Amino acid sequence: MEERKLSRIVWGARALLSFWTAIPCGGAELLFGGLKKHHVTLPIQSDTWDIRHLLVWIKQNLLQERPELFIQGDSVRPGILVLINDADWELMGELTYKLQNEDSITFISTLHGG
Amino acid sequence: MEWLSLEQKCMKCKECSAVLIIRVGDAFCKACFKEYFVHKFRAMLGKKRLIYPGEKVLLALSGGPASSSMLQQVQEGLSWEAGKKLRFVPGLVHIDEGAVRGQNLKDREKMVAEVELVLKRSGFPYQIIFLEEVFNLPSSVVRWDSKNIPSVADDYKAAVDGFLCRHTQLKNAESGIRTCSTGAGVQAKLAELSIKEPEPTASTRTLRLPSAQSTQALNQLFDSVTSLTAKEELLHTLRSHLLIHTARAQGYSKVMLGDSCTRLAVKFLTNISLGRGAFLAMDTGFSDGRYGDVVLVRPMREYSLKEISAYNEMFGVPTFFSPALNSKPSEKGSIHQLTETFINKLQSDFPSTVSTVFRTSEKLNVAGSVESPDSDSAARCLFCLCPLDTQIEKASAFHATLVSEHLSQKRSPDLPEAAANQCCASSEEERRCCRKPAEGCSSTTSRADERLTLLDLLCYGCRVTTKDLTMLDHLPHYVRSEADCRTRRAAMKKEIQEFLLHNNTDLEDVLKA
Ligand SMILES: [Zn+2]
Ligand SMILES: [Zn+2]
């Protein structure tokens, strides 16, 4: 109902990933093509998926313009808070956290809010 | 490995799993985080003792994370048990800035409807104001009025007594006439103000979008600003004026702003870069008394945006997404945006950055003269109402800059001849109020002169950003008429001075009469 500055990734089945997102950005346009929510499928890969992989995948598959507003280097842009199952990702190993079935990943921008 | 990290316990209860790292090494579980968050709000208001019981407090809600969280804390605070309960009377205001944020009418309508839903649900009186309203502001909003400042005698203790006294009286007798020996000044003033302009009740208000004409005028104003930095500052100035006016018109004596410490750290560095170093204490402090009768308060200033965003997410506090200030991708970022990026980058590599910058700002004190009630509005910046920091000796570098600016302005090619013609075309009424027939419509330099007179009335920081404002014509009327008024007053003062023995007190008396 209310538009939130966040995105959510939920594992559906094995190697299946669902997204709800309205990703924040500095400019007026939304990064993910203006869509609030995304449902996507993560491909099966030999390695287990961790957040680092996930970010690369998001960058390649979801970000349409100005990816630097979301990803910088191999991590999220400073100022974007990441929650894994409603808990600070800093407690979960950040980029090295291994995705589990039914995980919910939330990205919240603390940029340009007030 | 992930099991290990999940094991980290809350530092407070030492039982539950931690869900959030607040500072380096401080990890809280969900329940303890909530308690900590709520306690901090109560402690902040309690410690500062700035808000009187029964006082009308206007909450300025942008819909962003911090102000949304602030509203939630106030709602929560009113339901605390008797001893701890917040005792002020809140009202809400949201300023819709869609026009300058690149939203079309349909987007704005949708946004306003969403905002209204949240405001209505709070149960507090609320108001949604369009930024276009700045064109209807009176000059009084930028005038420093020392008469309405509550005297020192109306201290917290007296106000508490007053509140308690009134409270019991209302309980005991329904008669309605309250007499109260202590704190009566504040209450009377509030009552008087609210009688003047009764608060519109939420149910009867029908929101009408601003006229296309006023939106166009607003867009013209912002289009005439050549840098994003100056646009951000202009928006901030206009927004503040609207807030202050709304508060005054409806008898609110405090306005609560949702500035987080992250935001204030950014503001701190931004303002240094903008030449506003002299006003850091006011611009970023807990309370800001520059407007005199209405005091700005920043109760969220000890929360980081991380805490706030996590809280909102975990406890379902609704926030809105509003796009950034209208900017083309090609345009350079503003100092505000660049500083924000810089601070966040530092913060991610050095997690104590924000709190360090913030603590520095804590140590600054408001200079005595700033809040002294006897400085009149002539000595205050026309835009930000800070005491003018520009009255300095002729030999300074600042003066030299001014002189060279003056010279280049006179020859500036971007002053079209149309300026003079336009002045003549302006309404009869305007010309009459201008009362300067000699200078009236004489030459093309009149526009350059107007710019110089305006700059004269601004503090150093506001001068710096006003340089990027190319067309003064688009400024709202209240700014230009007040500028006119102050300039005339200054000229008169100078004239009178020549007839009087140089005695400033006499002079003030003459002018006041
Ligand atoms: Zn705990
Ligand atoms: Zn100023």
Side-chain angles (χ1 to χ4, degrees), chain A residues 3-4 6 8 26 77-79 86-88 90-91 100 110-114, chain B residues 2 5 8 19-21 62 67 263 305-306 313-314 319 324 337 340 344:
Chain A
E3 204 167 326
R4 305 291 299 277
L6 55 88
R8 224 181 269 265
R77 181 183 180 196
D86 255 7
D88 197 340
E90 289 179 39
L91 289 161
Q100 314 278 309
T110 64
L111 301 159
H112 262 290
Chain B
E2 59 268 30
S5 47
Q8 186 160 346
V19 296
L20 191 73
I21 296 180
S62 70
S67 61
R263 179 89 22 232
L305 269 175
K306 179 182 176 182
E313 173 62 17
M314 287 176 193
T319 58
Q337 287 170 1
E340 185 185 40
N344 275 300

PDB file of all heavy atoms in Angstrom, chain A residues 3-4 6 8 26 77-79 86-88 90-91 100 110-114, chain B residues 2 5 8 19-21 62 67 263 305-306 313-314 319 324 337 340 344:
ATOM      1  N   GLU A   3       4.318   3.053  -0.495  1.00  0.00           N
ATOM      2  CA  GLU A   3       5.494   2.753  -1.265  1.00  0.00           C
ATOM      3  C   GLU A   3       6.699   2.795  -0.343  1.00  0.00           C
ATOM      4  O   GLU A   3       6.939   3.775   0.335  1.00  0.00           O
ATOM      5  CB  GLU A   3       5.639   3.806  -2.356  1.00  0.00           C
ATOM      6  CG  GLU A   3       6.423   3.331  -3.532  1.00  0.00           C
ATOM      7  CD  GLU A   3       6.257   4.312  -4.680  1.00  0.00           C
ATOM      8  OE1 GLU A   3       5.168   4.882  -4.811  1.00  0.00           O
ATOM      9  OE2 GLU A   3       7.224   4.500  -5.399  1.00  0.00           O
ATOM     10  N   ARG A   4       7.443   1.747  -0.282  1.00  0.00           N
ATOM     11  CA  ARG A   4       8.561   1.691   0.647  1.00  0.00           C
ATOM     12  C   ARG A   4       9.851   1.715  -0.136  1.00  0.00           C
ATOM     13  O   ARG A   4       9.928   1.222  -1.244  1.00  0.00           O
ATOM     14  CB  ARG A   4       8.503   0.408   1.474  1.00  0.00           C
ATOM     15  CG  ARG A   4       7.196   0.218   2.189  1.00  0.00           C
ATOM     16  CD  ARG A   4       7.035   1.240   3.290  1.00  0.00           C
ATOM     17  NE  ARG A   4       8.091   1.094   4.271  1.00  0.00           N
ATOM     18  CZ  ARG A   4       8.063   0.220   5.259  1.00  0.00           C
ATOM     19  NH1 ARG A   4       7.037  -0.573   5.405  1.00  0.00           N
ATOM     20  NH2 ARG A   4       9.047   0.137   6.117  1.00  0.00           N
ATOM     21  N   LEU A   6      12.440  -0.040  -0.386  1.00  0.00           N
ATOM     22  CA  LEU A   6      13.100  -1.278  -0.053  1.00  0.00           C
ATOM     23  C   LEU A   6      12.856  -2.289  -1.140  1.00  0.00           C
ATOM     24  O   LEU A   6      12.010  -2.148  -1.998  1.00  0.00           O
ATOM     25  CB  LEU A   6      12.577  -1.822   1.271  1.00  0.00           C
ATOM     26  CG  LEU A   6      11.062  -2.026   1.377  1.00  0.00           C
ATOM     27  CD1 LEU A   6      10.655  -3.390   0.876  1.00  0.00           C
ATOM     28  CD2 LEU A   6      10.641  -1.865   2.808  1.00  0.00           C
ATOM     29  N   ARG A   8      12.846  -6.683  -1.579  1.00  0.00           N
ATOM     30  CA  ARG A   8      12.833  -7.915  -0.811  1.00  0.00           C
ATOM     31  C   ARG A   8      13.116  -9.061  -1.757  1.00  0.00           C
ATOM     32  O   ARG A   8      12.598  -9.115  -2.854  1.00  0.00           O
ATOM     33  CB  ARG A   8      11.441  -8.081  -0.222  1.00  0.00           C
ATOM     34  CG  ARG A   8      11.399  -8.493   1.197  1.00  0.00           C
ATOM     35  CD  ARG A   8       9.956  -8.610   1.559  1.00  0.00           C
ATOM     36  NE  ARG A   8       9.471  -7.337   2.088  1.00  0.00           N
ATOM     37  CZ  ARG A   8       9.434  -7.078   3.388  1.00  0.00           C
ATOM     38  NH1 ARG A   8       9.840  -7.956   4.267  1.00  0.00           N
ATOM     39  NH2 ARG A   8       8.971  -5.926   3.813  1.00  0.00           N
ATOM     40  N   GLY A  26      19.333   8.195  -6.168  1.00  0.00           N
ATOM     41  CA  GLY A  26      19.533   9.629  -6.008  1.00  0.00           C
ATOM     42  C   GLY A  26      18.674  10.420  -6.967  1.00  0.00           C
ATOM     43  O   GLY A  26      18.211  11.497  -6.663  1.00  0.00           O
ATOM     44  N   ARG A  77      26.017   0.238  -2.292  1.00  0.00           N
ATOM     45  CA  ARG A  77      26.478   1.612  -2.088  1.00  0.00           C
ATOM     46  C   ARG A  77      26.376   1.965  -0.607  1.00  0.00           C
ATOM     47  O   ARG A  77      25.377   1.638   0.044  1.00  0.00           O
ATOM     48  CB  ARG A  77      25.558   2.533  -2.903  1.00  0.00           C
ATOM     49  CG  ARG A  77      25.926   3.983  -2.822  1.00  0.00           C
ATOM     50  CD  ARG A  77      24.907   4.785  -3.592  1.00  0.00           C
ATOM     51  NE  ARG A  77      25.241   6.202  -3.537  1.00  0.00           N
ATOM     52  CZ  ARG A  77      24.388   7.166  -3.850  1.00  0.00           C
ATOM     53  NH1 ARG A  77      23.170   6.878  -4.211  1.00  0.00           N
ATOM     54  NH2 ARG A  77      24.761   8.428  -3.780  1.00  0.00           N
ATOM     55  N   PRO A  78      27.421   2.630  -0.084  1.00  0.00           N
ATOM     56  CA  PRO A  78      27.348   3.044   1.326  1.00  0.00           C
ATOM     57  C   PRO A  78      26.083   3.863   1.558  1.00  0.00           C
ATOM     58  O   PRO A  78      25.747   4.728   0.749  1.00  0.00           O
ATOM     59  CB  PRO A  78      28.585   3.913   1.507  1.00  0.00           C
ATOM     60  CG  PRO A  78      29.542   3.436   0.472  1.00  0.00           C
ATOM     61  CD  PRO A  78      28.699   3.005  -0.695  1.00  0.00           C
ATOM     62  N   GLY A  79      25.396   3.581   2.645  1.00  0.00           N
ATOM     63  CA  GLY A  79      24.142   4.286   2.904  1.00  0.00           C
ATOM     64  C   GLY A  79      22.936   3.412   2.601  1.00  0.00           C
ATOM     65  O   GLY A  79      21.815   3.787   2.891  1.00  0.00           O
ATOM     66  N   ASP A  86      15.119  -9.755   8.261  1.00  0.00           N
ATOM     67  CA  ASP A  86      14.874  -8.728   9.273  1.00  0.00           C
ATOM     68  C   ASP A  86      16.011  -8.525  10.258  1.00  0.00           C
ATOM     69  O   ASP A  86      15.807  -7.940  11.326  1.00  0.00           O
ATOM     70  CB  ASP A  86      13.574  -9.011  10.044  1.00  0.00           C
ATOM     71  CG  ASP A  86      12.456  -8.061   9.579  1.00  0.00           C
ATOM     72  OD1 ASP A  86      12.689  -7.322   8.603  1.00  0.00           O
ATOM     73  OD2 ASP A  86      11.388  -8.056  10.212  1.00  0.00           O
ATOM     74  N   ALA A  87      17.181  -8.991   9.936  1.00  0.00           N
ATOM     75  CA  ALA A  87      18.327  -8.766  10.823  1.00  0.00           C
ATOM     76  C   ALA A  87      19.465  -8.116  10.035  1.00  0.00           C
ATOM     77  O   ALA A  87      19.641  -8.375   8.832  1.00  0.00           O
ATOM     78  CB  ALA A  87      18.785 -10.071  11.439  1.00  0.00           C
ATOM     79  N   ASP A  88      20.192  -7.274  10.713  1.00  0.00           N
ATOM     80  CA  ASP A  88      21.334  -6.567  10.145  1.00  0.00           C
ATOM     81  C   ASP A  88      22.288  -7.539   9.446  1.00  0.00           C
ATOM     82  O   ASP A  88      22.732  -8.511  10.042  1.00  0.00           O
ATOM     83  CB  ASP A  88      22.073  -5.899  11.327  1.00  0.00           C
ATOM     84  CG  ASP A  88      23.014  -4.816  10.870  1.00  0.00           C
ATOM     85  OD1 ASP A  88      23.393  -4.822   9.687  1.00  0.00           O
ATOM     86  OD2 ASP A  88      23.362  -3.969  11.718  1.00  0.00           O
ATOM     87  N   GLU A  90      25.245  -7.122   8.865  1.00  0.00           N
ATOM     88  CA  GLU A  90      26.565  -7.090   9.511  1.00  0.00           C
ATOM     89  C   GLU A  90      26.709  -8.217  10.524  1.00  0.00           C
ATOM     90  O   GLU A  90      27.818  -8.598  10.899  1.00  0.00           O
ATOM     91  CB  GLU A  90      26.784  -5.733  10.206  1.00  0.00           C
ATOM     92  CG  GLU A  90      26.979  -4.583   9.231  1.00  0.00           C
ATOM     93  CD  GLU A  90      27.165  -3.244   9.943  1.00  0.00           C
ATOM     94  OE1 GLU A  90      27.838  -3.213  10.987  1.00  0.00           O
ATOM     95  OE2 GLU A  90      26.621  -2.241   9.447  1.00  0.00           O
ATOM     96  N   LEU A  91      25.556  -8.721  11.001  1.00  0.00           N
ATOM     97  CA  LEU A  91      25.587  -9.835  11.949  1.00  0.00           C
ATOM     98  C   LEU A  91      25.638 -11.177  11.234  1.00  0.00           C
ATOM     99  O   LEU A  91      25.799 -12.218  11.863  1.00  0.00           O
ATOM    100  CB  LEU A  91      24.328  -9.800  12.832  1.00  0.00           C
ATOM    101  CG  LEU A  91      24.233  -8.680  13.860  1.00  0.00           C
ATOM    102  CD1 LEU A  91      22.794  -8.501  14.306  1.00  0.00           C
ATOM    103  CD2 LEU A  91      25.123  -8.986  15.049  1.00  0.00           C
ATOM    104  N   GLN A 100      19.629 -19.053   2.003  1.00  0.00           N
ATOM    105  CA  GLN A 100      18.873 -20.246   2.374  1.00  0.00           C
ATOM    106  C   GLN A 100      17.515 -20.202   1.679  1.00  0.00           C
ATOM    107  O   GLN A 100      17.064 -19.141   1.248  1.00  0.00           O
ATOM    108  CB  GLN A 100      18.617 -20.258   3.894  1.00  0.00           C
ATOM    109  CG  GLN A 100      19.814 -19.934   4.742  1.00  0.00           C
ATOM    110  CD  GLN A 100      20.689 -21.147   4.941  1.00  0.00           C
ATOM    111  OE1 GLN A 100      20.204 -22.197   5.324  1.00  0.00           O
ATOM    112  NE2 GLN A 100      21.965 -20.995   4.663  1.00  0.00           N
ATOM    113  N   THR A 110      19.175   4.736   2.997  1.00  0.00           N
ATOM    114  CA  THR A 110      19.090   5.806   3.986  1.00  0.00           C
ATOM    115  C   THR A 110      19.504   7.117   3.321  1.00  0.00           C
ATOM    116  O   THR A 110      19.707   8.129   3.971  1.00  0.00           O
ATOM    117  CB  THR A 110      20.021   5.542   5.183  1.00  0.00           C
ATOM    118  OG1 THR A 110      21.364   5.557   4.721  1.00  0.00           O
ATOM    119  CG2 THR A 110      19.730   4.203   5.814  1.00  0.00           C
ATOM    120  N   LEU A 111      19.639   7.075   2.006  1.00  0.00           N
ATOM    121  CA  LEU A 111      20.085   8.258   1.291  1.00  0.00           C
ATOM    122  C   LEU A 111      18.889   9.112   0.914  1.00  0.00           C
ATOM    123  O   LEU A 111      17.842   8.593   0.551  1.00  0.00           O
ATOM    124  CB  LEU A 111      20.836   7.839   0.022  1.00  0.00           C
ATOM    125  CG  LEU A 111      22.061   6.969   0.300  1.00  0.00           C
ATOM    126  CD1 LEU A 111      22.454   6.185  -0.929  1.00  0.00           C
ATOM    127  CD2 LEU A 111      23.202   7.830   0.777  1.00  0.00           C
ATOM    128  N   HIS A 112      19.060  10.402   1.008  1.00  0.00           N
ATOM    129  CA  HIS A 112      18.019  11.315   0.585  1.00  0.00           C
ATOM    130  C   HIS A 112      16.687  11.119   1.249  1.00  0.00           C
ATOM    131  O   HIS A 112      15.654  11.188   0.614  1.00  0.00           O
ATOM    132  CB  HIS A 112      17.821  11.258  -0.926  1.00  0.00           C
ATOM    133  CG  HIS A 112      18.541  12.365  -1.572  1.00  0.00           C
ATOM    134  ND1 HIS A 112      18.133  13.645  -1.426  1.00  0.00           N
ATOM    135  CD2 HIS A 112      19.637  12.368  -2.311  1.00  0.00           C
ATOM    136  CE1 HIS A 112      18.983  14.401  -2.067  1.00  0.00           C
ATOM    137  NE2 HIS A 112      19.899  13.657  -2.603  1.00  0.00           N
ATOM    138  N   GLY A 113      16.726  10.844   2.511  1.00  0.00           N
ATOM    139  CA  GLY A 113      15.469  10.766   3.226  1.00  0.00           C
ATOM    140  C   GLY A 113      15.453  11.856   4.276  1.00  0.00           C
ATOM    141  O   GLY A 113      16.453  12.504   4.504  1.00  0.00           O
ATOM    142  N   GLY A 114      14.420  12.064   4.911  1.00  0.00           N
ATOM    143  CA  GLY A 114      14.388  13.080   5.956  1.00  0.00           C
ATOM    144  C   GLY A 114      13.088  12.943   6.611  1.00  0.00           C
ATOM    145  O   GLY A 114      12.611  13.234   7.548  1.00  0.00           O
TER     146      GLY A 114
ATOM    147  N   GLU B   2      27.455 -19.449   8.963  1.00  0.00           N
ATOM    148  CA  GLU B   2      26.364 -18.517   9.246  1.00  0.00           C
ATOM    149  C   GLU B   2      25.720 -18.803  10.600  1.00  0.00           C
ATOM    150  O   GLU B   2      25.111 -17.950  11.205  1.00  0.00           O
ATOM    151  CB  GLU B   2      25.307 -18.528   8.130  1.00  0.00           C
ATOM    152  CG  GLU B   2      24.659 -19.850   7.863  1.00  0.00           C
ATOM    153  CD  GLU B   2      25.408 -20.600   6.770  1.00  0.00           C
ATOM    154  OE1 GLU B   2      26.623 -20.430   6.638  1.00  0.00           O
ATOM    155  OE2 GLU B   2      24.767 -21.339   6.043  1.00  0.00           O
ATOM    156  N   SER B   5      27.444 -16.675  13.319  1.00  0.00           N
ATOM    157  CA  SER B   5      27.077 -15.262  13.392  1.00  0.00           C
ATOM    158  C   SER B   5      25.671 -15.087  13.978  1.00  0.00           C
ATOM    159  O   SER B   5      25.391 -14.144  14.695  1.00  0.00           O
ATOM    160  CB  SER B   5      27.151 -14.615  12.009  1.00  0.00           C
ATOM    161  OG  SER B   5      26.502 -15.433  11.068  1.00  0.00           O
ATOM    162  N   GLN B   8      25.296 -14.542  17.788  1.00  0.00           N
ATOM    163  CA  GLN B   8      25.635 -13.344  18.540  1.00  0.00           C
ATOM    164  C   GLN B   8      24.453 -12.879  19.386  1.00  0.00           C
ATOM    165  O   GLN B   8      23.348 -12.696  18.898  1.00  0.00           O
ATOM    166  CB  GLN B   8      26.069 -12.216  17.597  1.00  0.00           C
ATOM    167  CG  GLN B   8      26.560 -11.008  18.379  1.00  0.00           C
ATOM    168  CD  GLN B   8      27.424 -10.085  17.533  1.00  0.00           C
ATOM    169  OE1 GLN B   8      27.876 -10.452  16.446  1.00  0.00           O
ATOM    170  NE2 GLN B   8      27.655  -8.891  18.034  1.00  0.00           N
ATOM    171  N   VAL B  19      19.764  -8.551  16.421  1.00  0.00           N
ATOM    172  CA  VAL B  19      19.286  -8.314  15.064  1.00  0.00           C
ATOM    173  C   VAL B  19      19.872  -7.052  14.439  1.00  0.00           C
ATOM    174  O   VAL B  19      19.764  -6.843  13.240  1.00  0.00           O
ATOM    175  CB  VAL B  19      17.742  -8.211  14.988  1.00  0.00           C
ATOM    176  CG1 VAL B  19      17.088  -9.529  15.383  1.00  0.00           C
ATOM    177  CG2 VAL B  19      17.233  -7.061  15.832  1.00  0.00           C
ATOM    178  N   LEU B  20      20.480  -6.206  15.256  1.00  0.00           N
ATOM    179  CA  LEU B  20      20.976  -4.955  14.701  1.00  0.00           C
ATOM    180  C   LEU B  20      22.223  -4.479  15.435  1.00  0.00           C
ATOM    181  O   LEU B  20      22.270  -4.508  16.667  1.00  0.00           O
ATOM    182  CB  LEU B  20      19.887  -3.868  14.792  1.00  0.00           C
ATOM    183  CG  LEU B  20      20.172  -2.593  14.017  1.00  0.00           C
ATOM    184  CD1 LEU B  20      20.027  -2.821  12.513  1.00  0.00           C
ATOM    185  CD2 LEU B  20      19.246  -1.458  14.453  1.00  0.00           C
ATOM    186  N   ILE B  21      23.208  -4.073  14.657  1.00  0.00           N
ATOM    187  CA  ILE B  21      24.394  -3.452  15.248  1.00  0.00           C
ATOM    188  C   ILE B  21      24.195  -1.946  15.212  1.00  0.00           C
ATOM    189  O   ILE B  21      24.019  -1.356  14.142  1.00  0.00           O
ATOM    190  CB  ILE B  21      25.665  -3.831  14.474  1.00  0.00           C
ATOM    191  CG1 ILE B  21      25.904  -5.347  14.593  1.00  0.00           C
ATOM    192  CG2 ILE B  21      26.865  -3.069  15.005  1.00  0.00           C
ATOM    193  CD1 ILE B  21      27.132  -5.826  13.866  1.00  0.00           C
ATOM    194  N   SER B  62       7.998  15.055   6.349  1.00  0.00           N
ATOM    195  CA  SER B  62       8.303  14.986   4.929  1.00  0.00           C
ATOM    196  C   SER B  62       7.829  13.651   4.381  1.00  0.00           C
ATOM    197  O   SER B  62       7.642  13.496   3.186  1.00  0.00           O
ATOM    198  CB  SER B  62       9.810  15.118   4.713  1.00  0.00           C
ATOM    199  OG  SER B  62      10.462  13.956   5.187  1.00  0.00           O
ATOM    200  N   SER B  67      11.259  11.572   9.801  1.00  0.00           N
ATOM    201  CA  SER B  67      10.074  12.272  10.297  1.00  0.00           C
ATOM    202  C   SER B  67       8.921  11.297  10.524  1.00  0.00           C
ATOM    203  O   SER B  67       8.116  11.478  11.434  1.00  0.00           O
ATOM    204  CB  SER B  67       9.678  13.409   9.357  1.00  0.00           C
ATOM    205  OG  SER B  67       9.358  12.940   8.078  1.00  0.00           O
ATOM    206  N   ARG B 263      21.782  12.900   8.929  1.00  0.00           N
ATOM    207  CA  ARG B 263      21.408  14.065   8.127  1.00  0.00           C
ATOM    208  C   ARG B 263      22.125  15.314   8.644  1.00  0.00           C
ATOM    209  O   ARG B 263      22.593  16.152   7.880  1.00  0.00           O
ATOM    210  CB  ARG B 263      19.882  14.247   8.206  1.00  0.00           C
ATOM    211  CG  ARG B 263      19.329  15.405   7.466  1.00  0.00           C
ATOM    212  CD  ARG B 263      18.948  15.156   6.010  1.00  0.00           C
ATOM    213  NE  ARG B 263      18.703  13.785   5.683  1.00  0.00           N
ATOM    214  CZ  ARG B 263      19.295  13.145   4.660  1.00  0.00           C
ATOM    215  NH1 ARG B 263      20.149  13.761   3.893  1.00  0.00           N
ATOM    216  NH2 ARG B 263      19.021  11.895   4.411  1.00  0.00           N
ATOM    217  N   LEU B 305      20.478   7.241  10.723  1.00  0.00           N
ATOM    218  CA  LEU B 305      19.484   6.793   9.744  1.00  0.00           C
ATOM    219  C   LEU B 305      19.409   5.274   9.681  1.00  0.00           C
ATOM    220  O   LEU B 305      18.390   4.711   9.318  1.00  0.00           O
ATOM    221  CB  LEU B 305      19.803   7.374   8.365  1.00  0.00           C
ATOM    222  CG  LEU B 305      19.133   8.709   8.069  1.00  0.00           C
ATOM    223  CD1 LEU B 305      19.598   9.260   6.729  1.00  0.00           C
ATOM    224  CD2 LEU B 305      17.609   8.595   8.072  1.00  0.00           C
ATOM    225  N   LYS B 306      20.497   4.640  10.061  1.00  0.00           N
ATOM    226  CA  LYS B 306      20.460   3.174  10.083  1.00  0.00           C
ATOM    227  C   LYS B 306      19.465   2.687  11.136  1.00  0.00           C
ATOM    228  O   LYS B 306      18.616   1.838  10.856  1.00  0.00           O
ATOM    229  CB  LYS B 306      21.857   2.621  10.367  1.00  0.00           C
ATOM    230  CG  LYS B 306      21.878   1.109  10.415  1.00  0.00           C
ATOM    231  CD  LYS B 306      23.258   0.537  10.736  1.00  0.00           C
ATOM    232  CE  LYS B 306      23.154  -0.983  10.849  1.00  0.00           C
ATOM    233  NZ  LYS B 306      24.443  -1.594  11.193  1.00  0.00           N
ATOM    234  N   GLU B 313      11.372  -0.447   9.446  1.00  0.00           N
ATOM    235  CA  GLU B 313      11.153  -1.711   8.756  1.00  0.00           C
ATOM    236  C   GLU B 313      10.655  -2.786   9.726  1.00  0.00           C
ATOM    237  O   GLU B 313       9.700  -3.493   9.453  1.00  0.00           O
ATOM    238  CB  GLU B 313      12.464  -2.143   8.084  1.00  0.00           C
ATOM    239  CG  GLU B 313      12.459  -3.510   7.453  1.00  0.00           C
ATOM    240  CD  GLU B 313      11.440  -3.651   6.326  1.00  0.00           C
ATOM    241  OE1 GLU B 313      10.956  -2.634   5.815  1.00  0.00           O
ATOM    242  OE2 GLU B 313      11.126  -4.811   5.971  1.00  0.00           O
ATOM    243  N   MET B 314      11.301  -2.859  10.884  1.00  0.00           N
ATOM    244  CA  MET B 314      10.961  -3.928  11.827  1.00  0.00           C
ATOM    245  C   MET B 314       9.597  -3.718  12.471  1.00  0.00           C
ATOM    246  O   MET B 314       8.927  -4.685  12.819  1.00  0.00           O
ATOM    247  CB  MET B 314      12.019  -4.020  12.927  1.00  0.00           C
ATOM    248  CG  MET B 314      13.332  -4.613  12.450  1.00  0.00           C
ATOM    249  SD  MET B 314      14.549  -4.577  13.774  1.00  0.00           S
ATOM    250  CE  MET B 314      16.035  -4.944  12.854  1.00  0.00           C
ATOM    251  N   THR B 319       6.416   4.881   5.539  1.00  0.00           N
ATOM    252  CA  THR B 319       7.157   6.036   5.019  1.00  0.00           C
ATOM    253  C   THR B 319       6.782   6.205   3.545  1.00  0.00           C
ATOM    254  O   THR B 319       6.208   5.307   2.951  1.00  0.00           O
ATOM    255  CB  THR B 319       8.689   5.826   5.100  1.00  0.00           C
ATOM    256  OG1 THR B 319       9.018   4.652   4.362  1.00  0.00           O
ATOM    257  CG2 THR B 319       9.145   5.655   6.520  1.00  0.00           C
ATOM    258  N   ALA B 324      14.078  12.790  -5.542  1.00  0.00           N
ATOM    259  CA  ALA B 324      15.009  13.860  -5.218  1.00  0.00           C
ATOM    260  C   ALA B 324      14.660  15.108  -6.022  1.00  0.00           C
ATOM    261  O   ALA B 324      13.839  15.068  -6.925  1.00  0.00           O
ATOM    262  CB  ALA B 324      16.432  13.430  -5.531  1.00  0.00           C
ATOM    263  N   GLN B 337      24.343  16.586  -1.993  1.00  0.00           N
ATOM    264  CA  GLN B 337      24.402  15.186  -2.405  1.00  0.00           C
ATOM    265  C   GLN B 337      25.816  14.633  -2.319  1.00  0.00           C
ATOM    266  O   GLN B 337      26.023  13.506  -1.868  1.00  0.00           O
ATOM    267  CB  GLN B 337      23.890  15.027  -3.844  1.00  0.00           C
ATOM    268  CG  GLN B 337      22.383  15.180  -3.951  1.00  0.00           C
ATOM    269  CD  GLN B 337      21.897  15.271  -5.388  1.00  0.00           C
ATOM    270  OE1 GLN B 337      22.697  15.194  -6.328  1.00  0.00           O
ATOM    271  NE2 GLN B 337      20.606  15.446  -5.559  1.00  0.00           N
ATOM    272  N   GLU B 340      26.723  13.998   1.204  1.00  0.00           N
ATOM    273  CA  GLU B 340      26.036  12.813   1.704  1.00  0.00           C
ATOM    274  C   GLU B 340      26.775  11.536   1.283  1.00  0.00           C
ATOM    275  O   GLU B 340      27.024  10.641   2.097  1.00  0.00           O
ATOM    276  CB  GLU B 340      24.597  12.786   1.165  1.00  0.00           C
ATOM    277  CG  GLU B 340      23.768  11.653   1.727  1.00  0.00           C
ATOM    278  CD  GLU B 340      22.394  11.559   1.089  1.00  0.00           C
ATOM    279  OE1 GLU B 340      22.289  11.758  -0.136  1.00  0.00           O
ATOM    280  OE2 GLU B 340      21.436  11.265   1.816  1.00  0.00           O
ATOM    281  N   ASN B 344      28.699   8.991   3.846  1.00  0.00           N
ATOM    282  CA  ASN B 344      28.320   7.579   3.877  1.00  0.00           C
ATOM    283  C   ASN B 344      29.490   6.664   3.549  1.00  0.00           C
ATOM    284  O   ASN B 344      29.620   5.590   4.116  1.00  0.00           O
ATOM    285  CB  ASN B 344      27.163   7.322   2.918  1.00  0.00           C
ATOM    286  CG  ASN B 344      25.829   7.611   3.577  1.00  0.00           C
ATOM    287  OD1 ASN B 344      25.478   7.001   4.569  1.00  0.00           O
ATOM    288  ND2 ASN B 344      25.099   8.576   3.041  1.00  0.00           N
TER     289      ASN B 344
END
